[in-house]
């Protein structure tokens, strides 16, 4: 479904707003920057940030401070990135670094920042037909699920979770999608997949945040923990945010996008992320501000800064 666009407005205001994301996004006190009050920011994001309720906590103070509206469109990571590729999004928040890097290399993304992290967990029916509970190796757990032909429900939607799931299957020797009928592709968001997994008494890979936000709605249990609880690094789940390049799509609201990035990577934004809990459990861990500089967050991970003539 296409996203209805509003016309881009960039007027010089007599009153400037301040928002920093590594560089100035808005004007200074002299009124030299764009006035953003009354405008709408289109944010496309992964379903986990929406389903957990985190975005409600982040967006409300930003909207109040700047007098703007954040139009949040919840999609899988792949679909969220594609909205930016077509110029239908101003800012994108996702969790699949390989897809983010490709998007930066193609010139569509600009001013990327590390935002936060949580982890993935392998969840499933309490009866645990594949016998994976308590294990500390996600690859072995996937192999046991396949060997036992236990039901596995995949996102199947090119999301960040789906991307990570396929990486684990590849490590387990299933690079070419050599699955049987036990493997079900839902093509749905994480919340729907958790429901479907419960109905089928199977397994799935979930981000911890969405699982915890639904813990009172499902009987599924965590069988393999991620690195937040000492599990394997292959289950790590970092989130990034970036603006859409206005040199590619001149209709995007770049000033408002940078103000948003500046706000949620600020000390205030990090505090909101850190303090957001469900049932007493912290869902996300901020990492935008670190003691040691992290220049790699701004460029594709394999980029080394060298250029050939």
């Amino acid at each position: 479904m296409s996203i209805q666009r509003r016309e881009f407005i960039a007027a010089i205001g007599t009153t400037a707003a301040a928002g920093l994301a590594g560089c100035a996004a808005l004007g200074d006190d002299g009124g030299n920057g764009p006035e953003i009050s009354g405008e709408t920011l289109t944010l496309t994001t992964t379903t986990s940030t929406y389903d957990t309720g985190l975005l409600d906590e982040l967006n409300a103070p930003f909207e109040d401070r700047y007098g703007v509206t954040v139009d949040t469109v919840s999609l899988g990571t792949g679909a969220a990135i594609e909205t930016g590729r077509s110029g239908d999004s101003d800012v994108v928040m996702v969790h699949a670094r390989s897809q983010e890097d490709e998007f930066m290399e193609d010139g569509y993304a600009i001013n990327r920042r590390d935002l936060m992290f949580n982890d993935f967990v392998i969840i499933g029916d309490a009866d645990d037909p594949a016998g994976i509970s308590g294990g500390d190796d996600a690859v072995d757990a996937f192999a046991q699920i396949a060997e036992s032909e236990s039901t596995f429900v995949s996102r199947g939607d090119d999301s960040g979770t789906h991307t990570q799931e396929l990486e684990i299957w590849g490590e387990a020797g299933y690079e070419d999608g050599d699955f049987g009928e036990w493997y079900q592709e839902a093509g749905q968001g994480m919340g729907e997949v958790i429901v479907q997994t419960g109905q089928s008494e199977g397994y799935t890979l979930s981000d911890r945040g969405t699982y915890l936000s639904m813990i009172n709605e499902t009987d599924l249990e965590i069988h393999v923990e991620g690195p937040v609880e000492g599990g394997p690094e292959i289950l790590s789940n970092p989130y990034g945010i970036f603006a859409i390049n206005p040199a590619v799509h001149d209709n995007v609201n770049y000033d408002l996008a940078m103000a948003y990035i500046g706000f949620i990577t600020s000390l205030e934004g990090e505090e909101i992320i850190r303090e957001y809990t469900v049932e007493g459990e912290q869902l996300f861990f901020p990492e935008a501000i670190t003691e040691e500089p992290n220049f790699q967050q701004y460029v594709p991970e394999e980029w080394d800064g060298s250029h050939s003539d």
Side-chain angles (χ1 to χ4, degrees), residues 112-141:
R112 183 195 177 277
R113 293 291 307 277
D114 287 344
L115 177 59
M116 59 189 180
F117 69 92
N118 62 11
D119 59 358
F120 295 107
V121 290
I122 302 176
I123 61 176
D125 188 74
D127 288 342
D128 188 26
I132 65 171
S133 189
D136 59 2
D137 190 319
V139 175
D140 283 352

Side-chain angles (χ1 to χ4, degrees), residues 49 52-66 93 115-116 260 262-278 281-289:
T49 58
T52 57
L54 174 65
L55 285 181
D56 292 336
E57 298 296 313
L58 284 168
N59 291 349
F62 176 77
E63 291 174 324
D64 290 343
R65 174 169 300 179
Y66 294 110
M93 181 193 301
L115 177 59
M116 59 189 180
Y260 186 77
F263 175 77
I264 67 170
T265 59
S266 69
L267 289 171
E268 181 180 353
E270 288 219 325
E271 183 178 8
I272 293 171
I273 294 169
R274 184 181 299 107
E275 293 185 352
Y276 185 68
T277 62
V278 172
E281 295 275 355
Q282 182 177 350
L283 301 193
F284 299 95
F285 300 82
E287 61 174 351
I289 300 173

Side-chain angles (χ1 to χ4, degrees), residues 8 28 69 132 176 225 242 291:
F8 174 76
D28 58 22
T69 300
I132 65 171
D176 301 322
E225 292 278 6
F242 49 82
E291 185 174 350

Side-chain angles (χ1 to χ4, degrees), residues 94-97 100 112 116-118 120 236-240 287:
V94 288
H95 63 142
R97 188 61 195 266
E100 296 170 55
R112 183 195 177 277
M116 59 189 180
F117 69 92
N118 62 11
F120 295 107
S236 63
N237 184 26
Y239 289 76
E287 61 174 351

Side-chain angles (χ1 to χ4, degrees), residues 6-13 26 33-42 62-63 66-71 90 251-257 259:
R6 72 283 178 276
E7 293 196 6
F8 174 76
I9 302 172
I12 301 300
L26 302 175
E35 173 62 58
I36 62 173
S37 178
E39 296 188 9
T40 298
L41 176 76
T42 301
F62 176 77
E63 291 174 324
Y66 294 110
V68 298
T69 300
V70 179
D71 181 11
D90 301 310
N251 62 305
V252 298
N253 198 331
Y254 178 68
D255 295 309
L256 190 51

Side-chain angles (χ1 to χ4, degrees), residues 39-182:
E39 296 188 9
T40 298
L41 176 76
T42 301
L43 162 69
T44 50
T45 182
T46 178
T47 59
S48 58
T49 58
Y50 182 83
D51 289 345
T52 57
L54 174 65
L55 285 181
D56 292 336
E57 298 296 313
L58 284 168
N59 291 349
F62 176 77
E63 291 174 324
D64 290 343
R65 174 169 300 179
Y66 294 110
V68 298
T69 300
V70 179
D71 181 11
T72 302
V73 182
S74 173
L75 303 163
T77 287
I81 286 176
E82 284 306 306
T83 63
R85 190 181 299 275
S86 61
D88 288 324
S89 177
D90 301 310
V91 64
V92 179
M93 181 193 301
V94 288
H95 63 142
R97 188 61 195 266
S98 61
Q99 294 191 49
E100 296 170 55
D101 286 351
E102 181 180 354
F103 201 56
M104 284 192 283
E105 290 168 352
D106 290 343
Y108 291 97
I110 191 170
N111 291 327
R112 183 195 177 277
R113 293 291 307 277
D114 287 344
L115 177 59
M116 59 189 180
F117 69 92
N118 62 11
D119 59 358
F120 295 107
V121 290
I122 302 176
I123 61 176
D125 188 74
D127 288 342
D128 188 26
I132 65 171
S133 189
D136 59 2
D137 190 319
V139 175
D140 283 352
F142 269 37
Q144 287 177 238
I145 291 169
E147 290 166 6
S148 65
E149 297 189 349
S150 301
T151 299
F152 185 93
V153 182
S154 168
R155 287 279 295 269
D157 61 351
D158 197 31
S159 61
T161 303
H162 186 215
T163 299
Q164 193 65 26
E165 176 215 313
L166 292 178
E167 179 180 334
I168 299 170
W169 282 123
E171 292 290 328
Y174 293 83
E175 297 91 343
D176 301 322
D178 184 21
F179 306 115
E181 293 183 0
W182 54 270

